[in-house]
Amino acid sequence: MANKPKSLTQRATASLKGLSRTKEILPKASEIARPTPSTPSIPEDIEIATEREFPEAEKVNITKKLPRNVAILHIYENGENQYSVWGGHVDKGLLQTDPEKKPLLSLGWQVKNLVPPDIIKDFMNEFSRLNVKLRNWIKGLRSQFGEHLCLVIADYTDFEIPWEMLELSPQQSSHEYIGALITTVRWRKVISVINDDYLVLKFKADECCGKTVAYVLDTELEGSKSELESLKKLQGTIYQSSEDNNSIEKFHTHLQSDDADHSFVYISCHGTFKNSPDEMALGSASNEQQQLKLQILRKRPLNLVQKSQGIVFINACHSAREQVHPIIRHSYRMGFIQLFLEQGARGVIGTLGAVGDIYAAEFACELIKESSQSSPLPVAALLKNLRLKAVKNLGDKPTEEQLLSLIYRFMYVYYGSPMTVLRLTPPGE
């Protein structure tokens, strides 16, 4: 007797029926061909290690001494519900563009309103076509620096435009998404709790090596079994909801310990995104006693994060979304990305909307696997390659499941240094 298809739980507090799919039809990670680099090598006469003074970068809390292969894409509000962009680079900048009205391209909004994945893709294709100056600026940099180009996305708006899905040549060459071809990171203003000042994004090669601590809501997430298998290979500390009703509170207590030897903090659960930062939460979809609210996390120092300064991966719906406080109404937006960066995390991975459970688990397992195999690639480059896998899996006539995988993978964004490598190895190795 054939197995009945299972509904696909999303890592949010509400199920979105329009994007639910069965586990059986999801292509396995092993069936997706490993992509080969599609960008040219950097020309021999280009010295990317040479740093130059770029004072404009200081205005957005990025070191003014930038390698030549680093460019900054600035997006800021320019009028009511309007935005402009300009590109910063030590040699080749992009002049400020004319103001444009806010597009309804937020992946979180589109998923919530059940926009089909093929329509989401078409919207981004048309949006890309219209941004010709921006595309040509990025293409010019890419032709100069090839696969070594790094793009920092500094978005000061709350429009939630998925810039990683911008296509470079939407009419001539399909699926040239910048987030799958270029190492991209995001950055924002961050007030450090350690020195009570704005953090500065610097560019230096470094590694996160150490132990793993994780919280997994395995009583509510169908895909958690594969995640637990991957995590247990790391021999870290894992708090499971199936083993203890107070597991999320014990996980929170662990984060407050003075342990300075953690490279990886992993959170797998549901995410709540409502009308105020005070209502943001991670944990159970039905039991508030098994939730960590943003306001509670803000009240206690996360000493483990401060002392270890590792990578935090919040594999929950809406975990990278931010909001302005409705009472204070300061432009400084609040959210879980902001929280962990303030607490000292070297980098944070989160999502821009509601992600299907099985897809989320698959993404996490692939990232953990790559980071466990002594990959020389930084976290940002690994995310780029994982997006590229979904792009290459589309084919000429992509199925709805393949399109869903594409949309979900582009929901994952990374805030932090583009040069930080995550080393996930069991203790003693």
Side-chain angles (χ1 to χ4, degrees):
M1 181 176 177
N3 292 331
K4 294 183 179 179
K6 301 177 181 178
S7 61
L8 182 62
T9 306
Q10 287 188 316
R11 301 199 168 191
T13 56
S15 175
L16 302 177
K17 298 179 181 179
L19 291 182
S20 295
R21 293 295 179 270
T22 60
K23 180 178 179 180
E24 288 77 6
I25 56 180
L26 180 70
K28 298 179 180 178
S30 60
E31 296 173 349
I32 303 176
R34 297 184 65 86
T36 55
S38 59
T39 51
S41 299
I42 195 164
E44 294 182 359
D45 59 341
I46 299 297
E47 297 181 7
I48 64 171
T50 302
E51 293 183 342
R52 293 189 178 185
E53 293 279 340
F54 184 50
E56 289 85 349
E58 282 189 308
K59 298 177 182 178
V60 291
N61 305 107
I62 298 175
T63 179
K64 67 179 180 180
K65 289 188 176 181
L66 286 177
R68 293 188 62 209
N69 62 310
V70 175
I72 308 173
L73 172 60
H74 303 264
I75 307 101
Y76 59 95
E77 291 193 48
N78 192 350
E80 186 176 358
N81 281 328
Q82 292 184 314
Y83 76 96
S84 291
V85 305
W86 69 276
H89 186 259
V90 294
D91 294 324
K92 185 186 298 182
L94 170 68
L95 294 177
Q96 175 184 328
T97 62
D98 295 332
E100 294 290 347
K101 293 182 178 179
K102 171 186 176 180
L104 296 178
L105 294 175
S106 163
L107 294 180
W109 181 88
Q110 292 187 85
V111 169
K112 178 181 178 181
N113 287 275
L114 307 182
V115 179
D118 58 328
I119 302 300
I120 294 177
K121 179 177 175 298
D122 289 345
F123 284 162
M124 281 306 302
N125 180 272
E126 181 63 17
F127 176 76
S128 301
R129 187 181 71 85
L130 296 174
N131 280 274
V132 60
K133 290 183 179 180
L134 174 58
R135 290 191 291 105
N136 286 335
W137 175 65
I138 297 176
K139 284 195 286 187
L141 291 170
R142 187 166 176 253
S143 66
Q144 182 178 359
F145 296 104
E147 62 185 10
H148 297 276
L149 176 62
C150 172
L151 182 66
V152 180
I153 301 172
D155 192 339
Y156 322 116
T157 74
D158 60 358
F159 297 170
E160 298 187 323
I161 300 172
W163 294 102
E164 289 83 358
M165 284 193 71
L166 185 81
E167 295 186 56
L168 291 178
S169 302
Q171 293 176 294
Q172 294 83 13
S173 179
S174 62
H175 312 327
E176 286 191 350
Y177 301 101
I178 64 172
L181 298 177
I182 300 170
T183 298
T184 60
V185 300
R186 293 196 174 209
W187 191 242
R188 49 153 292 158
K189 286 186 176 180
V190 179
I191 304 174
S192 171
V193 301
I194 301 174
N195 57 17
D196 195 27
D197 200 355
Y198 287 110
L199 288 178
V200 176
L201 179 64
K202 298 180 180 180
F203 297 84
K204 64 176 183 178
D206 66 343
E207 295 183 348
C208 289
C209 304
K211 296 182 290 187
T212 295
V213 60
Y215 169 73
V216 180
L217 185 70
D218 57 334
T219 51
E220 298 183 23
L221 297 178
E222 182 182 353
S224 61
K225 182 178 179 180
S226 59
E227 291 170 273
L228 287 169
E229 290 176 355
S230 297
L231 291 167
K232 288 177 180 178
K233 292 178 182 178
L234 303 177
Q235 300 177 26
T237 304
I238 304 174
Y239 294 91
Q240 298 175 227
S241 59
S242 61
E243 296 183 351
D244 191 334
N245 289 334
N246 296 320
S247 58
I248 196 166
E249 182 58 35
K250 291 181 178 179
F251 169 74
H252 185 200
T253 300
H254 192 128
L255 295 184
Q256 299 170 60
S257 67
D258 288 328
D259 198 330
D261 191 26
H262 282 73
S263 64
F264 191 45
V265 177
Y266 182 71
I267 305 171
S268 174
C269 58
H270 292 295
T272 302
F273 184 79
K274 294 185 179 179
N275 299 319
S276 168
D278 293 340
E279 297 178 277
M280 291 183 180
L282 299 172
S284 170
S286 56
N287 186 352
E288 288 194 12
Q289 300 302 315
Q290 296 184 27
Q291 291 182 355
L292 285 179
K293 293 186 180 296
L294 178 63
Q295 60 176 334
I296 298 300
L297 286 169
R298 289 171 52 84
K299 292 180 179 180
R300 304 177 190 175
L302 305 180
N303 297 320
L304 181 147
V305 179
Q306 293 181 23
K307 295 178 183 296
S308 297
Q309 297 185 351
I311 300 296
V312 178
F313 183 2
I314 317 170
N315 202 1
C317 294
H318 314 296
S319 56
R321 301 180 75 180
E322 302 172 322
Q323 288 182 323
V324 171
H325 197 286
I327 303 300
I328 302 172
R329 302 187 67 80
H330 192 277
S331 60
Y332 191 82
R333 298 191 303 278
M334 301 166 66
F336 291 105
I337 293 283
Q338 159 257 334
L339 168 78
F340 283 104
L341 288 175
E342 284 185 347
Q343 291 288 330
R346 206 168 305 181
V348 186
I349 304 169
T351 68
L352 297 173
V355 181
D357 175 33
I358 301 299
Y359 295 84
E362 180 189 54
F363 184 89
C365 290
E366 290 187 50
L367 179 65
I368 292 173
K369 180 181 178 181
E370 291 295 328
S371 300
S372 303
Q373 295 180 338
S374 299
S375 171
L377 295 178
V379 176
L382 291 180
L383 263 64
K384 177 193 71 172
N385 287 348
L386 292 179
R387 298 186 194 110
L388 184 58
K389 283 186 178 182
V391 173
K392 287 187 171 292
N393 195 42
L394 287 178
D396 296 329
K397 295 181 179 181
T399 65
E400 192 169 11
E401 288 70 36
Q402 291 169 334
L403 289 170
L404 272 173
S405 180
L406 177 80
I407 301 300
Y408 285 143
R409 293 214 167 189
F410 276 89
M411 281 191 183
Y412 287 92
V413 293
Y414 171 74
Y415 284 76
S417 170
M419 302 175 71
T420 298
V421 177
L422 175 62
R423 301 286 190 196
L424 294 179
T425 55
E429 292 187 14

